Amino acid sequence: QVQLVESGGGVVQPGRSLRLSCAASGFTFSSHAMHWVRQGPGKGLEWVAVISYNGNSKYYADSVKGRFTISRDNSKNTLYLQMNNLTPDDTSVYYCASEGIVGGHIYFDYWGQGTLVTVSS
Amino acid sequence: QSVLTQPPSASGTPGQRVTISCSGSSSNIGSHTVNWYQKLPGTAPKLLMYSNNQRPSGVPDRFSASKSGTSASLAISGLQSEDEADYYCAAWDDSLNGPVFGGGTKLTVL
């Protein structure tokens, strides 16, 4: 069955960096675009970034543009999110999600269990 | 403030039918399909409905959804205690050039 397992979360001071990983199994990882979505404490879901199946295209939410970098290693079936210059507003549970697409319209068909990032001094 | 607007809460008794609304604009729901996600406490979100009204394999047919103009709705019939969860609508947004979510609706089964 499809499994997405995030790791790399933790407590970090403002201005520091952190790298999240998402290990995928149970599907052809290299054929799917992948996303990061986050949920802050008491807040709703917020899309963060997407990377195409081959890594050639990447897009970001305005709130993280210039600070976060999404990448993937298809040889390792792993998705990454490099987060730099973190602020308390980045405190969230970060989920990786695989993309499904029908008629040009996307949806998130599988999600990981999430990894908590806490930005605090 | 979420781009898509959902009621913060909804409730119903076992066996009842409840609906959850999702309101957007021409740049999102008006131009793109709507998806719904279910999030149980402490678990990962789960795809509940996609392409406005399609159920993934394994989702009971008690769940249905529809879209009209710039609004969408999720209906749950024969409400069960296990349906108690947070429900999120989502759609692509042309202005933001990315997916956007509703703020979520917490469903309580009384």
Side-chain angles (χ1 to χ4, degrees):
Chain A
Q1 74 280 19
V2 172
Q3 271 202 310
L4 296 170
V5 180
E6 301 93 337
S7 61
V11 180
V12 61
Q13 293 179 326
R16 305 298 291 262
S17 300
L18 207 59
R19 188 176 86 153
L20 306 183
S21 299
C22 169
S25 61
F27 68 108
T28 308
F29 179 74
S30 57
S31 297
H32 288 258
M34 295 293 295
H35 297 252
W36 287 99
V37 177
R38 67 185 182 183
Q39 183 173 31
K43 297 183 180 179
L45 298 170
E46 178 190 16
W47 174 75
V48 173
V50 60
I51 186 168
S52 61
Y53 71 98
N54 59 6
N56 287 348
S57 296
K58 306 173 186 181
Y59 299 95
Y60 301 90
D62 286 343
S63 58
V64 307
K65 201 173 295 182
R67 300 187 300 121
F68 289 13
T69 301
I70 189 171
S71 62
R72 65 190 298 159
D73 185 337
N74 286 344
S75 69
K76 296 182 178 179
N77 286 350
T78 302
L79 174 73
Y80 302 100
L81 184 68
Q82 177 67 43
M83 304 184 295
N84 297 333
N85 193 20
L86 286 160
T87 75
D89 286 344
D90 296 316
T91 295
S92 293
V93 175
Y94 284 76
Y95 299 97
C96 63
S98 59
E99 180 182 290
I101 186 165
V102 172
H105 299 284
I106 73 162
Y107 53 91
F108 305 126
D109 50 4
Y110 295 101
W111 299 65
Q113 85 289 349
T115 187
L116 176 61
V117 173
T118 302
V119 184
S120 174
S121 54
Chain B
Q1 191 81 348
S2 300
V3 175
L4 305 182
T5 301
Q6 297 179 236
S9 64
S11 63
T13 56
Q16 208 172 22
R17 182 178 188 270
V18 297
T19 61
I20 297 172
S21 62
C22 175
S23 178
S25 68
S26 57
S27 66
N28 42 65
I29 294 178
S31 305
H32 298 279
T33 59
V34 178
N35 310 309
W36 291 89
Y37 301 92
Q38 178 191 56
K39 191 178 184 307
L40 297 165
T43 68
K46 170 190 168 184
L47 178 65
L48 193 64
M49 304 289 293
Y50 68 98
S51 294
N52 298 329
N53 55 15
Q54 300 299 301
R55 274 187 310 275
S57 174
V59 174
D61 59 6
R62 302 187 294 105
F63 293 90
S64 62
S66 63
K67 184 189 104 167
S68 178
T70 59
S71 296
S73 64
L74 173 72
I76 309 171
S77 60
L79 198 62
Q80 299 181 3
S81 58
E82 66 214 50
D83 299 332
E84 192 162 280
D86 293 328
Y87 292 86
Y88 294 88
C89 59
W92 186 270
D93 190 285
D94 290 328
S95 299
L96 300 177
N97 200 26
V100 291
F101 291 90
T105 298
K106 183 176 182 63
L107 175 64
T108 301
V109 180
L110 302 170

